[in-house]
Amino acid sequence: MSPETLIVALASIAVGSLTFFLIWINWRILKISQHILEVSVELLAETIIIRVETIKIRKVSYKVLE
């Protein structure tokens, strides 16, 4: 095996390893992003409920004030 072939093989292995590492990192980022999205959807639902309840309380407060 010539030195050039060995260098090309080692470089290919290094690039392949780096590629798989970056794929793994991107996969983890995707999973974390999906979890953050789920939490954001739940938070939005709770925010909407709080807003509706606040409007109801405001209406009752105005009636009590009158």
Side-chain angles (χ1 to χ4, degrees):
M1 184 183 283
S2 69
E4 294 85 18
T5 306
L6 183 60
I7 291 172
V8 169
L10 289 175
S12 297
I13 291 171
V15 169
S17 298
L18 180 61
T19 300
F20 283 116
F21 177 71
L22 292 175
I23 288 171
W24 179 77
I25 292 290
N26 283 332
W27 180 258
R28 295 296 300 154
I29 291 171
L30 174 67
K31 290 301 177 183
I32 291 170
S33 297
Q34 287 174 339
H35 182 68
I36 290 172
L37 177 62
E38 291 172 8
V39 170
S40 295
V41 168
E42 291 174 12
L43 183 61
L44 177 61
E46 290 295 323
T47 302
I48 291 170
I49 291 171
I50 290 171
R51 183 173 173 89
V52 169
E53 293 296 323
T54 302
I55 291 170
K56 288 179 184 178
I57 290 171
R58 185 183 308 138
K59 288 179 182 178
V60 169
S61 296
Y62 283 143
K63 286 183 182 180
V64 168
L65 185 63
E66 291 175 354

